[in-house]
Every structure is written in structure tokens, then in C-alpha cells.
Amino acid sequence: MCGIVGYVGPRDCTDVLVSALKKLEYRGYDSAGIAVFEDGKIAVAKTKGRLVDLEAKMQKQGKPQGHAGIGHTRWATHGEPSDVNSHPHSGRRVTIVHNGIIENYKQLKQFLIDNERTEFLSDTDTEVVAQLLDFYYDGNPIRCIRRVLHELRGSFALGIVFADRPETVYAVRCESPLIVAQGQGEVFIASDVPAVIKYTKDYYLLEHGEIAVLKNGGVTFCSLHGRMLEKELLTADWDEDSAEKGGYPHYMLKEIHEQPTAVKTTITPRIENGLPNLSECGITPETLRAFQNIFIVACGTAMHAGMVGKYVIEKLARVSVTVDIASEFRYRNPLIGTDDLVIIISQSGETADSKAVLNLVKGTGAKTLAIVNVKGSSIAREADMVIYTHAGPEIAVASTKAYMVQLSVMYLLAFEMAFAKGKIDEDTCRRLTAQIVSMPQVIEKTIGAVVDMCQYVSTKLISTDSLLYIGRGLDYALSMEGSLKLKEISYIHSESYAAGELKHGTISLITEGMPVIAVATQNSLLEKTVSNIKEVKARGAMTIVICDEEADIDSEATDYLIRIPKISEMLMPMVATVPMQLLAYYTSVNKGNDVDKPRNLAKSVTVE
Ligand code: AGP
């Protein structure tokens, strides 16, 4: 998604903007640009391509020199990636950068054309906003911004500079996230904290409809109605190192290796006397007892964590769980009762479709629980209850450690709910809890055990166009994530299929040498899964099997075996995830892809 930054202070503004934008590269982008006050005028530099292309352009044309300005990385929504569509966009006296979508930009453009404003250079909705600000500008920036905000529909954030207000940056948040960071005599805006953590850990979270004015190294805030606001200064509890690669060639590999610590940090504060205790998140045995049905709603990887959650909660707590893709749930008119619980899982806490589900559920009487990684994010703030996962910043677009900690929370929730509902006794709950406590070491051991094999097997995948992931039960839920991980960074077409369903159509796709990755960690289903592996093998498939170190697998059915530590069947997803992540990672590396920033993808999807 687009990234916004801004700066007012004594440093070289262009350097600050570019360095901050580099930290937002993980969000995905196709062009970049900055606008800086230079000798009282606004100097703009922008280009299609990466930040290195912008730097090269500025080296040729001259770098804007100044101490206040705004910057942007664009992820195209309206208009193709091109120099002219890149941000910033300007009206006669106003220049802006923009994240999000203006839904009614066509009507607003028509309004401007009807009023003889016809100087549109780009295909973007952003330029319409710049022109509209210019149209209403009467010398009072705040009045003008408020006027325009009343006309715009959509979710967006803006960074704005007015040509006759030098050394001042204005920022607005309407849904899309934006922070204002306060340093010593300098102040920043950014779409996300990692952009500016190098300069300061202190930041304000702009709320929907709030306007910030950055001037003289400080900031003031006002509401959409013009009321001055006092805001709480927050402090990030992680530092620049956590957001750096720390010697790893890619963030993804670093984040895979961070999983043991991430799980430990997430579960430790939620375990008391050997039993799960989620009361600090607003969840008590009484509340858990009351829920009749559970809906888990999320997107992508987070939704896959919900799939595992469904199997575990239903098995242990005997409560019906429905898992939905957020963008579908919103439009299917779901039957939600007042005694139901809706769980939204999201790493970023800003995913537009997941956020919209919260609004939909409000008014049904059902309770909402957010499982979110980013502190203070929209979903975390709007839900009735929140369990923060403590994975730390996840930079790679392909989610790894966030998924792992989401799984750990799903287990804790299932254990506590099952105990609260009297479906398991205290001894069983303690035994299960002890198993999850041991997971960080098991994950660590698994990484070491499978890394070489995954690297080797990935060389067998690079020349394929298409493959299948198969599994049964929890292995099927897990294979969905394995398949998504592989396709999003290796660009190999991949589907996950319930192994038993293959015969009903999909098996016709199997041709000589087509890779089929079978996840076979569920001993109770092993025989049946092995039969499915044999079926595809008999039709020419190249089979790769992920199973535990003791599983009895017929060697004739498999080309490559990836053995993982054996633990209780129910917790196997937390182990089997590791080879799936590494297979995806090494396949992407071997294909020479941009592992951390795969094409067309964004880290946080703030548009619907
Ligand atoms: C993960 O690898 C994906 N890039 C993507 O599916 C992601 O999980 C999804 O967009 C949801 O994001 P969220 O967890 O921030 O809501």
C-alpha cells in the first residue's frame, strides 16, 4: 500500500524523507516522490520505479534542499504506475501525498471541471483532492482542509503543504493509518512507526478525522470540527534493530528465525500457574462460557490461522466455529446472534475488509475479539476485547511469525474455552498448556532440522509452473497457508486441496513430474493420506511429504521426505508450518525473486 512520510526540523529534509520511505518499502510500491520547501517554494521530485530510481533522478536534476516536506511511495490504484501518476500531486498553491482511495473522486472532478478547473495532468484520485483543496483555499489552511474533508468519501490519509505556508506540514487521517512522531526539535509524519523509529520512539496516533499541524519542530492537533486536541504521546516498545535484517539476507528469513521468541513473548504473559489466563485481554471463563457460536473472520494468512483455530476450538470446546474471508463475510448477510463471538485476526490491524467486519457486527449485540499484532491499530481499538500478539514488527510481505503467534493464541483460547465450558478437566488443560509452553524450543529445533532439506527440495520446484498442496483435517488447514506462502513469493501457481477431495475432479490435473506437497502430520489420518499420496504418485506426480520423524510412510510413495519433530497431533501445525515457510523462501530465492517485496503485493491492505 502507499506510504506517507513528512518532516519538519533541522535535518536535510530530502535525506530524512528518503530514509523514512525506505523503511516503508515493505508495504509494496511502484513509484516514489517528495515535495520539499526550497527557498520558500515547493520543489517536487518524483518517478515511476523504486526509491533508487528517485535518488538517481535527484542526483541528475539536483536534490531539493530544505527542512520541511512530504514524501510518498505509491501502490497504484487509479491510473498505471508512471512518472505523472506518482505523488506528490499539486494544485496551484497546494501539494499533497495520499494513501487510500477517494470513492467519489469522479463526481468531485466533474464539479471542478464545471467550475473551470481543467488542469488535470494525471489519472489519479489524488490530483482531484489537490485541486479541490486549491479551489477552496482562502489563505486559511485548516478551514480549507476541513471544508474538503466534508466532501471526500473513502478511507484515506493525507500529507499536505501549502505554498504560502513555508516550513509547515499538515496531516489528516480518515481511516487510513497515520502517526505523528515527535523528536528533539523535529517532528515527522508516517504511515507506520518503522519509518521514523531511527529518529524517535515517541509518537502520536492520529484518530479518524483528526488534523495535525507540524511546525517549528512541534505539532498541534485539531478535530474535523476545528476543536484543539490534547493527545497522548505513546512510546514504541521496540527499536531500530528489531526492524532491521540483523545479518539475515532477507526479512522473511529473519522473521522465520524469530518465531520461537515471538511465541514465547506472546504466550508467557497469558499463562498463570500452568493454566491459560486471558483476563488481561478482557476474556474471563464467564465470558467464554456464554458464547454459543464463534465466527472467525480475516484475510489471507490470518484467515488460515483461523482455520486451524476452528479445528482446535471445535475439537476441544465443542463450540461451532465458522471461518470466513472478511471480504465475503461482509456481503453474505451472516446470521449473528447476541450470544455469539466474532474474532477478527489481523497482523496489521488495518486491513480494510477485516475492519469493515467490525462495523458490520456492531449493532448485532455479538461481542468482538481482535487478535492483532500492531499496538493501537484500528481493529485493536474498535473491538470489544483484544489479544495482542507480540511478534514485533513484521516487515516481509509474506507473513510468517505473525501466523505462528496467531496459532499460539488460537490454542490458548481453545484451551481456556474448553476448560471454562467443562469440556476438558484441569489436568488436561494443564497438560495442553505445558505443551504449548514447550513450543518455542520445538520450533527452534525444527528450523535446524529441516533447513537443508527445504533448501534442496526447493531446487526441484523452481522449474514448475504449477503444484498442489494436499492434506486432511488440520493438515488441510495448514496446507492452505503453505500454498499461499509459496505462490505469493515464488510466483508458482499453487492450490491447496483436501486430499480426500482430489478424486472428485482435481486429480485430472496431475501430469508427469507435477509436484504435490503432502502434509501428513495427523497420525489418525495417516493411512488415508498415504493412499492419496499413492494415487497422485501413480499418475506421475513428484511427491514431497512433510511428516513427523516416526511416521511410517511407504518409501515408494514419496520422492522427498521432510521429517519434523513429533509432538502431539493437535499442535503439529506449529511445527509443520516451518518447512512450508522455508520451502517457499528458498524457492523464491532460487528463482531470484524479490523475496520480501513480491510483485503486486502490499504488506497492509488498506483498500477493499
Ligand atoms: C500474508 O503472507 C499475506 N501477504 C496476506 O495474506 C495477509 O496475511 C493478509 O493481507 C491479511 O493481513 P493482516 O493480517 O494484516 O490483516
Side-chain angles (χ1 to χ4, degrees):
M1 290 290 102
C2 301
I4 291 181
V5 297
Y7 179 70
V8 178
R11 299 178 202 255
D12 178 320
C13 181
T14 299
D15 288 351
V16 173
L17 295 177
V18 172
S19 96
L21 286 174
K22 281 186 178 163
K23 299 284 187 241
L24 293 181
E25 279 192 305
Y26 72 90
R27 294 163 69 90
Y29 72 109
D30 47 53
S31 46
I34 59 165
V36 172
F37 281 106
E38 187 178 54
D39 302 326
K41 291 207 178 85
I42 298 171
V44 172
K46 58 183 189 174
T47 186
K48 174 184 165 184
R50 316 296 284 183
L51 283 160
V52 284
D53 302 311
L54 179 67
E55 286 178 304
K57 191 168 184 175
M58 290 193 294
Q59 208 164 15
K60 252 198 218 149
Q61 292 179 354
K63 178 178 109 175
Q65 302 286 342
H67 299 285
I70 50 180
H72 191 261
T73 43
R74 173 173 188 252
W75 190 79
T77 53
H78 295 82
E80 55 164 18
S82 69
D83 284 3
V84 88
N85 285 337
S86 310
H87 298 209
H89 288 281
S90 304
R92 292 168 199 162
R93 297 158 298 172
V94 188
T95 297
I96 71 168
V97 290
H98 159 219
N99 177 11
I101 283 181
I102 307 299
E103 285 164 7
N104 57 338
Y105 82 103
K106 282 193 181 141
Q107 294 94 303
L108 296 170
K109 189 169 185 176
Q110 194 52 53
F111 164 81
L112 288 163
I113 291 169
D114 293 345
N115 284 278
E116 288 161 21
R117 292 282 181 137
T118 52
E119 315 125 32
F120 294 98
L121 302 173
S122 75
D123 308 319
T124 64
D125 50 352
T126 310
E127 192 183 8
V128 175
V129 180
Q131 294 281 7
L132 198 64
L133 282 160
D134 195 74
F135 180 78
Y136 286 120
Y137 188 46
D138 60 359
N140 182 329
I142 294 290
R143 191 160 56 214
C144 165
I145 292 169
R146 288 174 49 214
R147 175 81 173 82
V148 168
L149 287 183
H150 281 113
E151 305 230 345
L152 302 180
R153 276 208 324 268
S155 47
F156 54 87
L158 301 171
I160 311 169
V161 286
F162 291 83
D164 63 354
R165 288 289 184 280
E167 313 309 310
T168 310
V169 168
Y170 297 83
V172 175
R173 175 182 184 175
C174 284
E175 306 280 359
S176 296
L178 199 64
I179 59 128
V180 178
Q182 180 68 70
Q184 292 290 328
E186 56 185 352
V187 63
F188 310 77
I189 58 168
S191 298
D192 205 353
V193 183
V196 291
I197 195 90
K198 165 176 172 187
Y199 303 103
T200 176
K201 287 168 118 184
D202 297 329
Y203 68 97
Y204 300 96
L205 204 63
L206 272 189
E207 304 279 347
H208 174 68
E210 289 180 351
I211 303 168
V213 184
L214 287 70
K215 199 177 171 180
N216 297 331
V219 58
T220 52
F221 301 96
C222 72
S223 73
L224 196 52
H225 309 290
R227 193 166 45 86
M228 295 307 287
L229 300 169
E230 287 292 327
K231 289 187 65 69
E232 186 193 353
L233 189 63
L234 307 170
T235 303
D237 54 8
W238 45 275
D239 56 19
E240 200 191 349
D241 285 351
S242 336
E244 293 295 332
K245 284 189 206 150
Y248 288 94
H250 300 99
Y251 283 111
M252 183 176 173
L253 190 60
K254 175 186 176 233
E255 288 161 6
I256 290 171
H257 280 268
E258 282 173 346
Q259 294 182 115
T261 310
V263 170
K264 193 170 179 196
T265 321
T266 300
I267 61 171
T268 306
R270 281 77 189 250
I271 294 171
E272 214 178 273
N273 299 324
L275 290 170
N277 183 343
L278 296 164
S279 54
E280 52 113 16
C281 315
I283 300 161
T284 60
E286 293 70 50
T287 47
L288 289 174
R289 263 195 289 276
F291 298 128
Q292 294 299 315
N293 301 294
I294 296 178
F295 295 89
I296 302 181
V297 193
C299 303
T301 289
M303 192 272 289
H304 295 153
M307 287 298 298
V308 172
K310 171 186 164 72
Y311 278 86
V312 182
I313 296 171
E314 286 190 340
K315 187 179 168 81
L316 291 176
R318 308 305 295 151
V319 181
S320 151
V321 182
T322 312
V323 181
D324 272 271
I325 296 168
S327 55
E328 289 295 318
F329 186 77
R330 294 175 61 185
Y331 301 108
R332 78 165 168 85
N333 207 0
L335 294 166
I336 311 169
T338 47
D339 293 330
D340 294 344
L341 171 68
V342 179
I343 304 176
I344 317 280
I345 309 178
S346 175
Q347 186 284 128
S348 62
E350 299 294 348
T351 301
D353 285 310
S354 305
K355 218 161 103 178
V357 169
L358 274 178
N359 293 334
L360 178 101
V361 175
K362 267 182 202 153
T364 63
K367 283 265 176 287
T368 53
L369 164 66
I371 298 175
V372 167
N373 196 44
V374 177
K375 222 162 89 180
S377 55
S378 307
I379 293 173
R381 282 177 299 130
E382 284 166 31
D384 297 321
M385 300 166 281
V386 54
I387 304 179
Y388 279 114
T389 53
H390 299 305
E394 189 180 64
I395 307 292
V397 164
S399 185
T400 52
K401 61 175 179 172
Y403 173 72
M404 189 67 96
V405 290
Q406 286 160 359
L407 292 187
S408 69
V409 167
M410 286 281 106
Y411 284 107
L412 282 185
L413 192 63
F415 300 165
E416 184 160 9
M417 188 176 286
F419 186 33
K421 285 193 175 265
K423 302 293 179 191
I424 56 171
D425 59 21
E426 189 176 322
D427 282 353
T428 310
C429 195
R430 275 187 197 286
R431 189 174 37 81
L432 291 168
T433 310
Q435 285 172 3
I436 196 123
V437 169
S438 69
M439 286 317 294
Q441 294 96 294
V442 183
I443 297 166
E444 183 123 46
K445 184 174 159 201
T446 308
I447 297 174
V450 300
V451 68
D452 290 345
M453 190 60 181
C454 289
Q455 203 163 356
Y456 172 66
V457 173
S458 72
T459 62
K460 311 289 169 195
L461 300 179
I462 47 178
S463 51
T464 191
D465 295 330
S466 186
L467 61 79
L468 285 182
Y469 251 102
I470 60 169
R472 284 173 176 261
L474 269 174
D475 287 334
Y476 171 48
L478 196 60
S479 72
M480 290 180 185
E481 174 56 10
S483 173
L484 174 68
K485 208 83 311 163
L486 191 91
K487 79 177 107 183
E488 74 178 320
I489 58 170
S490 75
Y491 312 146
I492 295 169
H493 172 253
S494 165
E495 295 298 329
S496 68
Y497 237 78
E501 182 68 8
L502 278 177
K503 289 193 282 293
H504 300 284
T506 307
I507 202 162
S508 69
L509 290 176
I510 305 290
T511 49
E512 196 58 37
M514 180 180 181
V516 174
I517 307 175
V519 190
T521 71
Q522 301 295 296
N523 274 331
S524 49
L525 297 167
L526 190 63
E527 247 180 60
K528 293 204 180 324
T529 309
V530 170
S531 299
N532 300 130
I533 298 169
K534 285 183 178 166
E535 282 160 12
V536 293
K537 180 77 185 150
R539 285 156 181 85
M542 176 180 86
T543 55
I544 298 154
V545 180
I546 299 173
C547 61
D548 74 52
E549 55 211 355
E550 291 169 20
D552 183 15
I553 307 261
D554 188 342
S555 60
E556 279 174 24
T558 57
D559 290 296
Y560 304 101
L561 263 185
I562 303 178
R563 297 267 189 194
I564 52 179
K566 183 177 168 63
I567 52 162
S568 95
E569 207 172 284
M570 198 192 305
L571 282 158
M572 280 310 271
M574 290 184 77
V575 184
T577 303
V578 172
M580 297 191 317
Q581 295 169 339
L582 289 168
L583 273 179
Y585 172 75
Y586 285 114
T587 307
S588 177
V589 171
N590 288 334
K591 289 188 77 174
N593 295 350
D594 192 345
V595 178
D596 288 331
K597 292 175 284 214
R599 71 183 178 211
N600 305 337
L601 286 176
K603 181 65 183 164
S604 161
V605 184
T606 52
V607 293
E608 291 169 25

